[in-house]
Amino acid sequence: MTILDTMLAANAEFCAHPPADYTLEDLKKSKLPQKQVALITCMDTRLVNFLEPALGIGRGEAKVIKTAGNGITGVFDGTIRSLLVCIYELGVKEIIVIGHHECGMANTTSESLIKSMVERGISKEAIHMIKKELTEWADEFHHPEQNVIDTVERIRLNPLIPADVPIHGLIFHPRTGKVDVVMNGYT
Amino acid sequence: MTILDTMLAANAEFCAHPPADYTLEDLKKSKLPQKQVALITCMDTRLVNFLEPALGIGRGEAKVIKTAGNGITGVFDGTIRSLLVCIYELGVKEIIVIGHHECGMANTTSESLIKSMVERGISKEAIHMIKKELTEWADEFHHPEQNVIDTVERIRLNPLIPADVPIHGLIFHPRTGKVDVVMNGYT
């Protein structure tokens, strides 16, 4: 069975037999996050179905933004755009950047990515077009904790984000689920 | 208790009493997604702890990328960068774009965002700096299904993504959990 068919079969089963704790109240959940918080975190597969429960975040409680290495790639990149919608339309009052130990981005380099791209037949022209940006992004990430500090600071300095929104930085362990505070946005 | 303190208290409780189904095998999960798939979806709070289980996706099985409106904002935006890492370093073989009904982005406009920003004291200079990009992004999203089609096509046409990677488009219902296929990337 293909990946897509496996997923569709699982979905049919889910809809036919929703989880026992799924109630009528769940059906009516609002798109406004009850805890008025946005999480910015990583696409890492070990965080799936793990990070939110480990932080006590349930369905309907937080906005969750995820990219490779939970970073900001420009003053108006997808994460910043998402945050604008969170803050100005959805009642988000605090932002939490959550990096994690053992983040793959610490080992990824522009050189390793370009080597794989060439092997997969990506054109030299296309690679040339993004090489500078790719290098600045991929080669800048060395330490997940430092990356959290950098991301918090980039959001804090962004003139589109109100100064009264606390921005915290946490680091998460993708095996144990433990978090530690890197930056406390209240202070 | 503050949002951050609530979350830290929940985390301490989680670590002291991990879920009963959390095993030693979980502790050792790889960062490589077992189902070799990347999901691109929305930051909507109703999808948290709901979308992945509704698709039969467990911890360790998929990379998950999330932004407002599951869109692509440029040829080398954060989502495309994340996909490069997925494909060239983490063994991802298929991509699934998952929009959802009742997406807040369908109602968000640059006008409503700018009005709120001005009310919150954001400088006219900062708004002016991003106004054109903001308009192109926020005012272009009208229908979640059409947005899925557009996003799939943008990834398909991106010269950095190998032609042999199927890209599917799904639409998810944030209340019932049901998915429907918008684009089948195998055909």
Side-chain angles (χ1 to χ4, degrees):
Chain A
M1 199 147 58
T2 64
I3 290 177
L4 185 60
D5 283 343
T6 308
M7 225 173 271
L8 294 175
N11 186 247
E13 176 65 21
F14 181 92
C15 292
H17 306 285
D21 58 355
Y22 185 77
T23 65
L24 268 182
E25 201 186 320
D26 280 303
L27 263 173
K28 296 176 195 160
K29 279 232 187 303
S30 156
K31 68 181 178 183
L32 302 179
Q34 287 175 326
K35 287 194 173 159
Q36 301 187 306
V37 67
L39 311 183
I40 299 172
T41 187
C42 185
M43 66 175 184
D44 192 287
T45 188
R46 294 166 297 179
L47 273 53
V48 170
N49 297 342
F50 191 54
L51 175 75
E52 294 88 344
L55 294 173
I57 298 284
R59 179 167 179 256
E61 294 190 331
K63 295 281 158 182
V64 181
I65 301 162
K66 291 185 167 199
T67 59
N70 47 271
I72 305 278
T73 57
V75 289
F76 196 52
D77 82 343
T79 297
I80 295 292
R81 287 170 210 237
S82 299
L83 287 176
L84 298 189
V85 178
C86 286
I87 294 167
Y88 297 113
E89 309 239 306
L90 300 168
V92 162
K93 294 202 159 66
E94 303 201 11
I95 297 167
I96 309 186
V97 177
I98 312 176
H100 66 93
H101 298 289
E102 304 178 359
C103 186
M105 283 302 296
N107 304 317
T108 295
T109 64
S110 59
E111 197 184 332
S112 65
L113 281 167
I114 289 172
K115 188 169 175 288
S116 298
M117 283 190 235
V118 170
E119 284 167 7
R120 288 289 289 274
I122 299 303
S123 78
K124 282 180 185 169
E125 290 79 3
I127 293 171
H128 179 73
M129 188 179 73
I130 52 96
K131 193 170 175 182
K132 187 167 177 289
E133 274 186 281
L134 178 69
T135 305
E136 283 168 6
W137 172 64
D139 299 349
E140 197 186 285
F141 191 126
H142 298 293
H143 304 289
E145 255 186 77
Q146 185 59 46
N147 185 61
V148 167
I149 294 169
D150 293 346
T151 303
V152 168
E153 286 182 347
R154 277 175 197 163
I155 302 170
R156 183 68 293 152
L157 292 172
N158 193 306
L160 302 166
I161 306 292
D164 61 359
V165 172
I167 308 164
H168 313 287
L170 302 180
I171 190 113
F172 181 75
H173 201 297
R175 287 188 274 119
T176 64
K178 187 173 186 304
V179 294
D180 289 296
V181 178
V182 176
M183 291 176 91
N184 184 322
Y186 300 128
T187 54
Chain B
M1 203 151 50
T2 64
I3 290 177
L4 185 61
D5 283 343
T6 309
M7 222 173 275
L8 294 175
N11 185 248
E13 176 65 22
F14 181 92
C15 293
H17 306 284
D21 59 354
Y22 185 77
T23 64
L24 266 183
E25 202 186 319
D26 280 303
L27 262 173
K28 295 176 194 158
K29 280 234 188 299
S30 156
K31 67 180 177 180
L32 302 178
Q34 286 175 327
K35 287 196 174 157
Q36 300 186 308
V37 68
L39 311 183
I40 299 173
T41 188
C42 186
M43 67 175 183
D44 193 286
T45 188
R46 295 166 297 178
L47 273 55
V48 170
N49 296 344
F50 191 55
L51 174 74
E52 293 89 346
L55 294 173
I57 297 283
R59 179 167 179 257
E61 294 190 329
K63 294 280 156 182
V64 181
I65 301 161
K66 292 184 165 198
T67 59
N70 47 269
I72 304 278
T73 56
V75 290
F76 196 52
D77 82 343
T79 298
I80 295 292
R81 288 170 210 235
S82 299
L83 287 176
L84 299 189
V85 178
C86 286
I87 294 167
Y88 297 114
E89 309 240 306
L90 300 168
V92 162
K93 292 200 159 66
E94 303 200 12
I95 297 167
I96 309 187
V97 177
I98 311 177
H100 67 94
H101 298 290
E102 304 178 359
C103 185
M105 282 302 295
N107 305 319
T108 295
T109 63
S110 58
E111 199 183 331
S112 65
L113 281 168
I114 288 172
K115 188 170 176 285
S116 298
M117 281 190 237
V118 170
E119 284 167 8
R120 288 289 289 273
I122 300 302
S123 78
K124 283 180 183 168
E125 290 79 3
I127 293 170
H128 179 74
M129 188 179 72
I130 52 96
K131 193 170 177 183
K132 187 166 179 289
E133 274 185 280
L134 178 69
T135 306
E136 284 166 6
W137 172 65
D139 299 348
E140 197 186 285
F141 190 125
H142 299 293
H143 304 289
E145 255 185 79
Q146 185 59 46
N147 185 61
V148 167
I149 294 169
D150 293 346
T151 303
V152 168
E153 285 182 348
R154 277 175 197 164
I155 302 171
R156 182 69 292 152
L157 292 171
N158 192 306
L160 302 167
I161 307 292
D164 61 359
V165 172
I167 307 165
H168 313 287
L170 303 180
I171 190 111
F172 180 75
H173 202 296
R175 286 188 275 118
T176 64
K178 187 172 185 304
V179 293
D180 289 296
V181 178
V182 176
M183 291 178 92
N184 183 322
Y186 300 129
T187 54

